[in-house]
Amino acid sequence: MIIENLFAEKKPVLSFEIFPPKKEAELKNIDETLRLLSGLQPDFISVTFGAGGSGADNKTLELASRIKREYGIEPLVHLTCISYSREEIRGILERMEEAGLKNVLALRGDKNPQAPVKEDFQYASELVAFIREQGDFHISGACYPEVHLEAADGVADIRNLKKKVEAGVGHLISQLFFDNEIFYDFQEKLKIAGIDVPVEAGIMPVTNKAQIERMVNLCGAALPEKFRRILDKYGDRKEALFDAGMAYAVNQIVELIAHGVDGIHIFTMNNPIVAGRICQGIKNLIWKGK
Ligand code: FAD
């Protein structure tokens, strides 16, 4: 299945993101996680890739192959480049080809002190061009409704995104955000810039206060007033915040779908209970096409 083609058949597309567990004990639970997540019938599941040095990189391909082979769901393989040489990336792409993994999310990766930057790739657009030279892959990319933290400004970020799309990206997945208005503005800017590939909205269901504080620090997502009020009221009550976080995410998705979003990408954090709660809340809004 070619992921970018899905959007012509079905709207909205529903996808999940998972990460390869680092600890052996968690790896044992991954079967149950995959079984439950696949039961929710997402259109595809993306698997994250370490920025290098984490030792988890090999597990991405292994997990993606299992999602395809054992659960019959199309995987999207994340691939980061700043800490890898051309030869290393070529090797990974060859392994993907052998495993029949054709869909790749081409990423620069965050700078990581444990994995020094190599000189071969500076930006994701260079990885996109390289992948296209290597074979018949279908390439997705990341985008940032609230502007990537290292970009000079919003205009520069959109210009850079356009270069990435022109290099060969057929589908975008957004960074998480909590304020739909920011996403709608971003969609307008993409239209003005002539970026017309499908864009999935990245949704992070909030399950606890520490998680949300970490996320906001890491990616600079704005917290709307209504979200702050939820945190102030329920921040210290674990179960209450969980319920409120699920309700917030469902509400955000309902509004996005009503607004005609191309797809919803749920950062599941490998938690099938969270994904299940969200899917329960939107099951009749997601058209199950062919
Ligand atoms: P790029 O598109 O290269 O952009 C990075 C910065 O460089 C931006 O500020 C951009 O404006 C600028 N830029 C781009 N091109 C140029 C140019 N030609 N000249 C000047 N400036 C330029 N990280 C992981 O390590 N593993 C993952 O699995 C992973 N999955 C992700 C999934 C999603 C949906 C998202 C949104 C992010 C994910 N990330 C992941 C994080 C990502 O690697 C970081 O956000 C990283 O900092 C940027 O990656 P990018 O591919 O968007 O980079």
Side-chain angles (χ1 to χ4, degrees):
M1 180 209 285
I2 300 172
I3 286 175
E4 66 189 66
N5 290 352
L6 265 178
F7 297 84
E9 296 166 19
K10 178 176 189 281
K11 197 169 168 174
V13 162
L14 175 69
S15 57
F16 294 161
E17 180 170 310
I18 63 165
F19 57 85
K22 287 191 187 134
K23 297 183 190 139
E24 267 323 297
E26 290 169 5
L27 204 55
K28 283 192 189 129
N29 294 336
I30 200 71
D31 280 318
E32 184 62 358
T33 301
L34 290 179
R35 191 182 67 74
L36 293 170
L37 287 178
S38 56
L40 298 169
Q41 295 183 281
D43 294 297
F44 69 89
I45 298 181
S46 82
V47 188
T48 67
F49 189 91
S54 71
D57 317 350
N58 295 331
K59 292 184 189 142
T60 300
L61 265 56
E62 191 185 311
L63 208 51
S65 303
R66 290 190 51 200
I67 290 169
K68 191 174 177 83
R69 210 177 46 238
E70 294 171 28
Y71 298 91
I73 292 181
E74 190 60 34
L76 172 63
V77 176
H78 295 211
L79 179 60
T80 64
C81 61
I82 41 163
S83 300
Y84 293 88
S85 66
R86 282 171 177 260
E87 271 323 299
E88 287 168 320
I89 295 286
R90 188 176 287 123
I92 294 169
L93 293 170
E94 279 168 10
R95 280 164 49 212
M96 282 183 61
E97 192 118 51
E98 279 161 24
L101 302 170
K102 292 295 208 172
N103 292 290
V104 54
L105 178 63
L107 296 153
R108 187 197 71 178
D110 276 326
K111 291 174 183 161
N112 171 359
Q114 288 163 334
V117 166
K118 294 196 176 158
E119 302 298 314
D120 287 6
F121 300 98
Q122 214 182 338
Y123 300 113
S125 53
E126 295 163 3
L127 175 64
V128 173
F130 184 74
I131 295 171
R132 277 179 68 93
E133 287 167 13
Q134 303 308 307
D136 181 22
F137 291 97
H138 309 289
I139 310 171
S140 303
C143 62
Y144 302 84
E146 297 184 66
V147 182
H148 186 260
L149 285 178
E150 293 164 42
D153 56 37
V155 174
D157 207 27
I158 297 253
R159 285 199 179 122
N160 294 331
L161 181 61
K162 184 150 191 195
K163 283 186 206 156
K164 182 157 72 177
V165 171
E166 284 172 351
V169 163
H171 152 236
L172 292 166
I173 304 180
S174 90
Q175 182 57 285
L176 64 94
F177 60 92
F178 299 105
D179 184 342
N180 285 353
E181 293 303 323
I182 292 175
F183 186 77
Y184 304 148
D185 282 354
F186 181 64
Q187 286 179 311
E188 286 286 306
K189 289 175 189 153
L190 296 185
K191 243 188 233 169
I192 293 166
I195 297 173
D196 60 1
V197 297
V199 184
E200 280 192 276
I203 299 295
M204 171 68 79
V206 171
T207 54
N208 67 65
K209 203 173 174 183
Q211 171 208 19
I212 177 84
E213 281 160 0
R214 201 173 51 242
M215 289 300 159
V216 169
N217 279 338
L218 271 177
C219 70
L223 285 185
E225 196 44 45
K226 60 181 174 181
F227 199 100
R228 255 180 217 291
R229 279 199 294 272
I230 290 175
L231 282 184
D232 289 346
K233 188 156 174 72
Y234 304 114
D236 299 328
R237 291 169 51 202
K238 213 168 149 228
E239 286 84 7
L241 183 61
F242 184 87
D243 279 353
M246 294 305 107
Y248 190 91
V250 167
N251 194 33
Q252 213 188 337
I253 295 170
V254 170
E255 283 179 10
L256 285 162
I257 294 176
H259 204 265
V261 72
D262 294 314
I264 301 289
H265 184 73
I266 300 176
F267 301 106
T268 70
M269 305 301 286
N270 292 11
N271 187 335
I273 297 170
V274 167
R277 279 276 290 264
I278 304 288
C279 288
Q280 180 60 27
I282 59 170
K283 64 178 191 294
N284 294 316
L285 311 186
I286 303 279
W287 171 58
K288 286 281 163 208
K290 39 191 166 90

